[in-house]
Amino acid sequence: DAGVTQSPTHLIKTRGQHVTLRCSPISGHKSVSWYQQVLGQGPQFIFQYYEKEERGRGNFPDRFSARQFPNYSSELNVNALLLGDSALYLCASSPGTDLGETQYFGPGTRLLVL
Amino acid sequence: KNEVEQSPQNLTAQEGEFITINCSYSVGISALHWLQQHPGGGIVSLFMLSSGKKKHGRLIATINIQEKHSSLHITASHPRDSAVYICALRGANNLFFGTGTRLTVIP
């Protein structure tokens, strides 16, 4: 069975641009969560979506948004990119809505903002 | 204010040594995860704990809810165990992550 997949693997953008990152969960998993990991730090929770609805949101500005599609895949959108948005963006899926369940992580998308 | 503190930040061990990584937290939780992150970024979930102790192969994880403390132990460490180990707490609709412990096991 395929694991969690993310695209693209790497991305370079300039300040002020917009970016869309994509995540496909493990088949049968209905929850997708997004995390930002700045170099040298632990991940930070951005969003959780379950059955197309937002179930959790971390302390991120409104420039960050996400959505989940009927097939449970998800997009993370970041507007008006800042240099500080450079990070590894991780997606994780799980069967249900509880973040206490085992989370299955994708390989991440490395975003560099110049 | 950091809800999760891990120690040590860096750890170098000789192959075969017993390893302990600690995670202390300041908030009430319902579950705690131990994660392993290899160079390149991929994260693997090792354990999810809400009480007591779990064992998987050479890895053992314990949690003391009253003391707000969890430990990850690696017995008979091996160079392939070299990675960053991260604990994460399940809060209300959120996960709080520690900054990780970078483990290097030398042959």
Side-chain angles (χ1 to χ4, degrees):
Chain A
D1 274 346
V4 177
T5 59
Q6 292 186 242
S7 63
T9 55
H10 296 81
L11 201 52
I12 300 175
K13 292 284 189 179
T14 56
R15 280 178 298 174
Q17 284 190 314
H18 161 91
V19 69
T20 298
L21 310 180
R22 295 178 177 83
C23 172
S24 291
I26 290 172
S27 177
H29 286 190
K30 298 182 178 180
S31 172
V32 170
S33 301
W34 287 96
Y35 305 88
Q36 180 197 63
Q37 187 177 25
V38 173
L39 192 64
Q41 298 182 18
Q44 288 197 26
F45 173 78
I46 309 175
F47 289 111
Q48 183 198 18
Y49 275 76
Y50 178 79
E51 292 277 16
K52 297 180 288 180
E53 290 189 4
E54 183 183 299
R55 291 301 186 100
R57 173 185 280 258
N59 189 23
F60 279 80
D62 292 343
R63 300 185 296 107
F64 288 77
S65 64
R67 55 179 176 167
Q68 187 177 33
F69 299 99
N71 66 354
Y72 305 111
S73 67
S74 178
E75 284 182 353
L76 175 70
N77 296 284
V78 187
N79 292 324
L81 284 167
L82 303 174
L83 296 180
D85 296 330
S86 296
L88 177 68
Y89 288 84
L90 294 156
C91 159
S93 76
S94 62
T97 186
D98 186 357
L99 287 172
E101 292 181 307
T102 297
Q103 302 291 306
Y104 296 83
F105 286 83
T109 293
R110 289 198 181 275
L111 172 65
L112 177 61
V113 182
L114 301 176
Chain B
K1 177 180 170 237
N2 210 354
E3 292 89 356
V4 191
E5 297 283 349
Q6 284 189 239
S7 63
Q9 287 188 317
N10 294 282
L11 182 56
T12 300
Q14 289 291 134
E15 183 174 356
E17 284 186 9
F18 181 83
I19 304 292
T20 296
I21 298 170
N22 298 297
C23 177
S24 296
Y25 52 93
S26 56
V27 296
I29 64 167
S30 59
L32 181 146
H33 299 268
W34 280 103
L35 310 168
Q36 180 191 55
Q37 186 170 32
H38 281 282
I43 291 180
V44 174
S45 180
L46 299 175
F47 294 103
M48 189 281 291
L49 291 164
S50 54
S51 65
K53 176 180 175 178
K54 286 189 176 180
K55 185 176 190 291
H56 185 256
R58 295 181 295 106
L59 301 178
I60 303 166
T62 63
I63 188 168
N64 185 319
I65 297 292
Q66 288 74 26
E67 294 186 4
K68 294 188 165 67
H69 181 268
S70 177
S71 293
L72 176 68
H73 305 285
I74 305 175
T75 61
S77 59
H78 190 276
R80 65 174 174 265
D81 297 326
S82 298
V84 176
Y85 292 84
I86 302 170
C87 69
L89 315 178
R90 187 217 185 276
N93 300 320
N94 203 337
L95 272 180
F96 300 98
F97 292 80
T99 54
T101 294
R102 182 174 299 277
L103 171 64
T104 303
V105 181
I106 300 170

